[in-house]
Amino acid sequence: MKKAVLVGISYATNDNLRDNAFGEQPGAHRDVARLRKLLITKYGYKNENIVILVDDDARPREQWPTYKNIIQTMEELVADTKPGDHIFFSFSGHGGQVEAREDEDEEDGQDEILLPIDCTYDPSTPDKFSNFIRDDEIRRILVKKLPEGVRCAMLFDCCHSGTASDLPSVNEALSPTTPTSPLVSPGLQSRAFAQMQTVTLHDETPPPYLWPSTRATNVYPPSRRTSVLVEKEKNVTSWSACLDDQITFGQRSGGIFIKAFTKALEPNPNPTHRQLLQALRKELDAVTKQANAKMQARSQEGPMYVAPRPQLGSLSPKLILHDEFTL
């Protein structure tokens, strides 16, 4: 059995987020369509086993990507799975960070979060957001509840997504590397996580980028070693658009990360993890250079785009870079 949940959020109906500088994501629905086609044509998924959550007026509200519906479909994705089954979860939309809870050991002190369609932003509240999904919830459902012998792959095309499922990173020393990025100005420091995937390749004033997270570059953070050993028989991987402290961007035709992901896999569905990660970084580096060249050609001033650095996470205690990729 192969099952998937594909989430794409345009935020067209969320006035609160739009009023707080979280722009619409018109390409998110195309991301879902692109991934659905890849799953069916290259990996043998059946249409009836793919659940799609998008904020589309043509769909009943029960199929919209609200907090409740995303959590419920994640639970159903894991439920009744058996050894040999494959499950896949993807999210295309806004991502962010909130302060980690006191009982958590987050190296950067931040939890990565996903923003459902009914998420709201209020800077006067402790978390600044409501109805958001923490990385802890993703790990609780898609990792801890996953039976042994079931393969789970996750994909996050959103900002601050490097460890969106709290998996250790296994992608050190791979080229091409991303140039170091400028620090945000003091005036934007407190709202840095609010600069989401709203950037397009045609924006005149791209937002600043943050320094990479040290937690995202550790192969096995000490805080995760115990859980890694306990869950070592579970085959879980995650693909993220950028580091925890970076933002990513997209176009009306879709996010640049999912475009790169499908572009790499359509001609070769089973590369090694290393080959796929290198292809993703190479493509995002090229797209970013093209965007900067166009901006310079138009004599536009402002900071240059910095290529998002895709991340591969794995629950496995062994390095999986040379293992074959599949979904």
Side-chain angles (χ1 to χ4, degrees):
M1 174 69 72
K2 292 188 174 185
K3 301 190 297 180
V5 171
L6 311 180
V7 180
I9 313 180
S10 73
Y11 303 95
T13 61
N14 192 314
D15 295 335
N16 168 270
L17 290 183
R18 187 168 58 253
D19 291 344
N20 284 283
F22 296 86
E24 294 183 25
Q25 301 291 292
H29 294 180
R30 293 183 173 89
D31 291 339
V32 168
R34 191 171 281 116
L35 287 173
R36 174 184 169 275
K37 178 181 177 182
L38 181 76
L39 293 177
I40 292 174
T41 60
K42 300 298 180 181
Y43 297 100
Y45 283 70
K46 296 181 179 180
N47 186 55
E48 59 267 28
N49 293 328
I50 299 176
V51 176
I52 292 177
L53 297 180
V54 293
D55 48 337
D56 185 345
D57 286 331
R59 289 176 173 267
R61 290 299 172 120
E62 294 78 18
Q63 297 175 12
W64 276 44
T66 62
Y67 171 85
K68 178 182 177 181
N69 289 345
I70 294 175
I71 294 295
Q72 180 178 328
T73 55
M74 288 168 61
E75 296 274 9
E76 293 171 351
L77 187 62
V78 175
D80 301 323
T81 53
K82 300 177 177 60
D85 290 348
H86 291 204
I87 63 173
F88 178 66
F89 174 83
S90 74
F91 179 89
S92 180
H94 286 311
Q97 291 179 304
V98 297
E99 185 175 345
R101 294 162 175 158
E102 292 183 1
D103 60 344
E104 294 178 354
D105 185 13
E106 294 281 358
E107 193 169 308
D108 58 4
Q110 300 287 309
D111 276 336
E112 284 61 57
I113 65 172
L114 307 181
L115 277 58
I117 184 59
D118 56 343
C119 177
T120 58
Y121 178 80
D122 183 352
S124 67
T125 60
D127 286 327
K128 297 182 175 64
F129 294 95
S130 64
N131 291 331
F132 60 87
I133 300 174
R134 285 184 188 263
D135 51 10
D136 306 313
E137 292 181 277
I138 298 171
R139 185 182 177 95
R140 175 183 63 82
I141 298 172
L142 296 182
V143 180
K144 292 186 177 296
K145 290 189 176 184
L146 189 74
E148 292 184 5
V150 177
R151 181 187 295 270
C152 172
M154 294 171 274
L155 185 150
F156 302 96
D157 193 354
C158 54
C159 299
H160 308 290
S161 56
T163 57
S165 56
D166 266 349
L167 295 183
S169 172
V170 295
N171 48 245
E172 282 298 279
L174 291 179
S175 60
T177 58
T178 300
T180 54
S181 49
L183 290 168
V184 295
S185 63
L188 287 175
Q189 186 69 53
S190 62
R191 286 289 309 282
F193 55 81
Q195 305 295 329
M196 301 298 170
Q197 195 188 333
T198 59
V199 188
T200 72
L201 295 184
H202 305 292
D203 282 345
E204 295 184 0
T205 55
Y209 290 75
L210 307 179
W211 290 103
S213 164
T214 55
R215 184 164 72 95
T217 58
N218 289 334
V219 176
Y220 292 112
S223 62
R224 301 299 176 202
R225 285 176 183 159
T226 301
S227 61
V228 166
L229 292 175
V230 172
E231 299 164 342
K232 65 182 180 180
E233 299 302 324
K234 298 181 180 181
N235 190 327
V236 185
T237 54
S238 68
W239 296 86
S240 303
C242 58
L243 292 164
D244 283 343
D245 286 351
Q246 280 189 312
I247 68 173
T248 186
F249 51 97
Q251 302 163 300
R252 285 189 169 274
S253 57
I256 62 170
F257 177 64
I258 286 182
K259 282 185 180 179
F261 190 80
T262 54
K263 179 180 178 180
L265 293 173
E266 283 169 353
N268 179 18
N270 301 111
T272 65
H273 288 93
R274 171 185 282 273
Q275 290 170 336
L276 178 54
L277 190 58
Q278 288 178 323
L280 292 173
R281 291 189 175 172
K282 182 178 180 181
E283 179 67 15
L284 295 194
D285 189 57
V287 170
T288 304
K289 287 180 179 178
Q290 291 173 5
N292 286 333
K294 290 180 180 178
M295 188 159 55
Q296 290 177 324
R298 294 193 295 265
S299 299
Q300 294 179 354
E301 297 182 357
M304 294 289 101
Y305 290 106
V306 175
R309 186 175 175 82
Q311 299 292 293
L312 166 61
S314 173
L315 190 64
S316 174
K318 71 183 183 75
L319 204 61
I320 65 167
L321 290 174
H322 297 288
D323 291 351
E324 182 181 88
F325 170 88
T326 191
L327 289 177

